[in-house]
Amino acid sequence: SAFNDDRVLLERYVPRSRHVEVQVMCDTHGNAVHLYERDCSVQRRHQKLLEESPAPGLTEAQRRRYGEAAVAAAKAVGYVGAGTVEFIADADDPGDTFYFCEMNTRLQVEHPVTECALGVDLVEWQLRVARGEVLGFGQEEVDCAARNSMHAIEARLYAENPSNNFLPSTGPIWYVRWPKAREGRVLTRFETMKDSPFNPVRTPYVRVDVGYEAGGEVSANYDPMLGKLIASAPTRDEAVRLLHDALAETRFMGLSTNVDFLKACAIHPDFVKGGVDTAWMEGRLDAIMDSAQDRWWQRVAASSPDEADRIAAVAALIAARRWDVSAEHAASGASLGAWMGADGFRISEATPMPDEVVEIVAGEGVEDGCTK
């Protein structure tokens, strides 16, 4: 009644769904192509966490059907630029039963997945199309590239605390370590773009899109995303393993992150198998949380050859132990008194909250590092 329209819109309910979206690019000269799909079904409260391409379990013909439907939608509204057409697919029949959800008229956070899989610079072509240029490739070229594409998986790193209902974490970042090269190379975005379009790096690598470094600060005013890791490899199994290794090497000190949670998701048997639905994470959240309690500093403090790593690990270990003691006493109902609590109490001056490192001291006469 608010719109003076008595028509009713009925939407099909899909009990088990997968979120499959298609990247499109359209110019001002009537050309429109799709750059195939991304599966974004690993979500929590409708927030995507892991995205990948190609979508697990789809045949080449089924992938084309998604793409053709996306291009038809874009042409129907005369769309120009880079955009994403999103579909809800029946998880029991994702290749043949899918429904239009919405269109995002922009590049999305997960666009690097397509860039790494196909070796195309979407940002460049978005700008060139906006300038009025003719799209430099047709659908046949995209189809040829897709038949020889890499498998790419992206993980979104957030400043949030999975152990506290995923509440946002703000404050200064004291220490950051992004992945180092291991089995594959670690590349920046520009290093992954060669003679675009459609010339992907053929060896396994991890692309690191960095949002913060040590000394930065996460405020409450903006999105808490810290960065993105995109693992690219010739096969999905290789990409999954590479993503897990990259997450295992990623470390933050000063605030809470979802890195360990993402790592637990990446090695969960259901995700490794492929084809999870959008409700998968919510139904297994407790089990994933249990396996995410791998505190990297317990290993690093004793084994890392990197002095900065060891110092940060010792500081984290001290902070974590203070918090554990407080939590154990709180669960038992016992009182800690004013001196053992981890709630920031001090008689004459402010003291840091748990997990906040004020100063790390290292040098002659300091063997393992200390907090001051």
Side-chain angles (χ1 to χ4, degrees), residues 96-258:
D96 297 311
T97 308
F98 57 91
Y99 308 93
F100 174 79
C101 177
E102 65 179 359
M103 182 173 185
N104 282 300
T105 55
R106 54 180 171 81
L107 281 180
Q108 293 189 272
V109 170
E110 62 271 19
H111 76 271
V113 173
T114 300
E115 290 188 328
C116 292
L118 296 178
V120 59
D121 191 333
L122 295 176
V123 177
E124 175 189 346
W125 280 105
Q126 175 179 246
L127 295 175
R128 294 177 68 171
V129 164
R131 195 165 58 184
E133 293 187 27
V134 176
L135 195 59
F137 47 87
Q139 193 61 57
E140 287 187 5
E141 291 173 82
V142 181
D143 292 343
C144 181
R147 285 192 289 271
N148 299 284
S149 72
M150 302 289 279
H151 197 102
I153 310 175
E154 175 182 280
R156 302 187 185 194
L157 278 62
Y158 285 102
E160 62 184 12
N161 189 348
S163 299
N164 192 19
N165 199 29
F166 292 86
L167 288 178
S169 179
T170 60
I173 302 174
W174 295 99
Y175 172 79
V176 176
R177 176 173 172 174
W178 293 103
K180 295 181 179 179
R182 188 178 284 181
E183 291 184 30
R185 291 176 288 169
V186 175
L187 304 178
T188 67
R189 177 184 185 277
F190 296 103
E191 289 173 316
T192 68
M193 303 300 162
K194 298 167 70 179
D195 298 323
S196 183
F198 312 124
N199 189 12
V201 177
R202 291 294 175 187
T203 54
Y205 71 92
V206 173
R207 168 173 153 179
V208 182
D209 286 9
V210 175
Y212 289 87
E213 290 286 6
E217 183 168 350
V218 178
S219 77
N221 299 321
Y222 302 100
D223 186 275
M225 183 179 292
L226 299 168
K228 300 177 289 185
L229 303 183
I230 306 95
S232 178
T235 68
R236 185 176 187 274
D237 287 346
E238 289 179 275
V240 169
R241 184 174 66 252
L242 196 58
L243 179 65
H244 173 266
D245 290 347
L247 288 166
E249 292 205 2
T250 303
R251 294 158 193 161
F252 282 82
M253 275 296 301
L255 42 66
S256 299
T257 75
N258 67 339

